[in-house]
Amino acid sequence: MAVRAYEFDVQDATVRVMNFRNLRKIDWLLPLLVLLLAGIGWALIYSATRSTDHSRFSKQIVFFFMGLAVAMTIICIDYRFLVAMAPLAYVVSILLLVGIFFFAETTKGSERWYNFGPIKFQPSETAKLVMVYTLTWYLTTIGDRVKKLPWFLITFVITGIPMALILKQPNLGTAATLGPLTLAMLFVSGCRIRHLAVICLGGLSLIPLLWWQIHDFDPNETPKTEAYYEMHPEEKPAPRPFYELRHHQKKRIYTFLHPETDLQNSGWQTYQSKITVGSGGMFGKGYLQGTQTRLNYLPEHDTDFIYSLLAEEHGFVGAVVVIALFAVFLLRALSYARDCPELMGALLASGIVTVLAFHIFVNIAITIGLLPVTGIPLPFLSYGGSFYLTTMACVGVLLNVPMRRRVYVK
């Protein structure tokens, strides 16, 4: 009778799904940076909402401690177990994204939220974290086969399904996060650079398609509803063969390219944000002394435009200090990916860094007018429950990666 042989490595001797002792071995620099950024966020939320909705300040603190509990739980769980569960999480995430079109609450013209009484849940936020785990599972499963074109392209199919569902909501900002995430994780996995270069060039080729959608766009035209087209079917335009941007998305892009055309409407946020940032000068007007935000000239100054409030009250110096804190945070997190002895941990760390870096860069770029306005909050600073919990979960994933390093130490 033949005896089947198995190969074991050092990891097999240390499989323990839940290990609370991990909490004693975390790298304390990253939690310290998180606490500093969270504290800055609390101060800014208090300043932004003290005369309107003061409850947001206390809610933001609650979101932090809820997220802290999530992060601590993730730290204690062996990330290989979570990666193994990624296919199931991916299916659940897709079902939640599909269900949002039937059971979601409509907010600002977009269907993005499940409403469970006082609790609101945004599945597109958790989808980003699920995609990090799913891509890690797939890329570690196929290994060197990622160098072959069919396996390489399957990665974009995996990403494309949730991206299409998120675009359909529509939530362009969150969907855009999945693009650089996929490219970064493919690069770390060791794919062929020429394959990535072709994909990037293909992405740049979409710019003419974007121009095609907005070249005849009239920002002053009132968008027609489906009910109107039912009454006047002869006026309904022929469907485009590609993804059609919504009217408000076209207006944001058009206004970004031609800011002088609609300063009182769609261009108002960008225009006021630049004024708010510039009015802070070198050292700012002082804490609680912001006028642009206090007088509500700048909408959403506690969420997507909270960096404008920071620049107004604390000036160029305060704004640069926060960027420096973000830079140290991201560099420290990247060191986890660099020093991780196995591909799985490196993929997790690099994927999380890409998601957070995308949010930081795009939010600040929107604030100072370098990119068109879209719904991209700033980690640790912007108000929001689902996003805050996802961000803290990302911190837990990052702190979990170095825990495996000791397994390989002889």
Side-chain angles (χ1 to χ4, degrees):
M1 180 177 178
V3 178
R4 185 174 181 181
Y6 293 90
E7 291 185 1
F8 295 94
D9 58 24
V10 69
Q11 295 184 50
D12 296 302
T14 60
V15 174
R16 187 173 181 179
V17 173
M18 200 77 176
N19 189 354
F20 294 102
R21 288 181 297 179
N22 287 352
L23 295 174
R24 296 183 298 181
K25 300 179 176 68
I26 63 175
D27 173 21
W28 286 103
L29 176 58
L30 208 69
L32 177 61
L33 292 169
V34 170
L35 188 58
L36 286 173
L37 289 167
I40 293 171
W42 296 340
L44 292 174
I45 293 294
Y46 177 81
S47 177
T49 63
R50 69 189 189 281
S51 59
T52 54
D53 186 3
H54 190 61
S55 66
R56 289 199 164 196
F57 170 70
S58 57
K59 288 179 181 178
Q60 188 79 338
I61 296 178
V62 172
F63 294 151
F64 171 80
F65 284 101
M66 291 173 61
L68 183 62
V70 172
M72 293 174 65
T73 302
I74 293 175
I75 291 171
C76 294
I77 301 175
D78 191 318
Y79 64 70
R80 293 173 298 168
F81 171 77
L82 296 176
V83 171
M85 298 297 293
L88 176 61
Y90 179 79
V91 173
V92 172
S93 180
I94 295 299
L95 292 176
L96 289 172
L97 289 172
V98 171
I100 207 169
F101 299 108
F102 302 97
F103 308 107
E105 176 182 299
T106 301
T107 304
K108 298 181 180 179
S110 299
E111 296 179 278
R112 306 178 186 176
W113 303 87
Y114 287 107
N115 192 353
F116 304 103
I119 300 175
K120 290 185 177 181
F121 170 63
Q122 190 175 12
S124 60
E125 284 297 334
T126 56
K128 293 182 290 189
L129 186 59
V130 169
M131 284 308 305
V132 172
Y133 277 104
T134 302
L135 292 177
T136 299
W137 171 83
Y138 174 73
L139 293 172
T140 52
T141 299
I142 65 174
D144 288 338
R145 285 175 291 180
V146 73
K147 297 180 183 295
K148 299 180 180 179
L149 186 59
W151 297 96
F152 173 84
L153 293 177
I154 290 175
T155 312
F156 293 94
V157 176
I158 295 172
T159 305
I161 296 173
M163 181 182 289
L165 292 171
I166 295 171
L167 279 171
K168 184 67 176 175
Q169 293 183 12
N171 190 342
L172 181 60
T174 301
T177 308
L178 302 184
L181 168 65
T182 306
L183 296 176
M185 294 186 71
L186 278 168
F187 176 78
V188 173
S189 70
C191 72
R192 297 189 186 279
I193 298 300
R194 64 173 179 265
H195 290 166
L196 273 184
V198 170
I199 292 295
C200 292
L201 290 174
L204 292 175
S205 69
L206 296 177
I207 295 178
L209 294 177
L210 182 63
W211 172 86
W212 177 56
Q213 289 211 23
I214 67 171
H215 78 282
D216 57 352
F217 176 71
D218 183 3
N220 298 316
E221 180 183 1
T222 303
K224 296 180 174 60
T225 64
E226 288 297 325
Y228 176 86
Y229 286 127
E230 288 178 4
M231 297 177 61
H232 305 84
E234 71 281 356
E235 297 185 22
K236 187 172 184 178
R240 297 185 188 272
F242 301 98
Y243 172 74
E244 178 76 16
L245 293 172
R246 298 291 182 93
H247 184 274
H248 73 277
Q249 293 171 337
K250 292 181 181 180
K251 198 166 187 178
R252 285 176 178 177
I253 298 173
Y254 186 91
T255 305
F256 171 72
L257 298 174
H258 308 281
E260 72 286 348
T261 59
D262 195 15
L263 293 179
Q264 298 301 317
N265 193 3
S266 59
W268 179 259
Q269 283 182 309
T270 300
Y271 177 66
Q272 289 297 328
S273 178
K274 291 161 74 173
I275 291 178
T276 303
V277 171
S279 67
M282 182 61 69
F283 299 102
K285 298 176 180 177
Y287 184 53
L288 304 180
Q289 301 303 313
T291 54
Q292 289 292 116
T293 48
R294 187 176 72 249
L295 299 176
N296 207 31
Y297 283 108
L298 178 63
E300 310 291 344
H301 56 266
D302 61 336
T303 53
D304 296 345
F305 285 90
I306 199 165
Y307 192 78
S308 303
L309 172 62
L310 168 70
E312 181 185 27
E313 293 190 344
H314 303 282
F316 177 79
V317 173
V320 170
V321 167
V322 169
I323 291 178
L325 289 175
F326 276 127
V328 175
F329 175 90
L330 294 175
L331 288 173
R332 187 61 176 178
L334 275 178
S335 71
Y336 298 161
R338 179 198 62 197
D339 299 336
C340 187
E342 61 174 349
L343 178 61
M344 185 180 293
L347 284 170
L348 282 175
S350 58
I352 294 297
V353 169
T354 303
V355 170
L356 295 178
F358 180 85
H359 276 267
I360 294 166
F361 173 79
V362 173
N363 179 275
I364 295 176
I366 289 171
T367 297
I368 59 180
L370 296 180
L371 288 175
V373 176
T374 187
I376 295 288
L378 189 60
F380 308 112
L381 271 65
S382 294
Y383 174 82
S386 295
F387 178 68
Y388 214 125
L389 292 178
T390 302
T391 302
M392 292 300 292
C394 289
V395 173
V397 176
L398 288 173
L399 291 172
N400 196 354
V401 170
M403 298 298 169
R404 300 302 310 160
R405 195 182 311 163
R406 68 184 185 276
V407 174
Y408 298 85
V409 178
K410 295 183 180 180

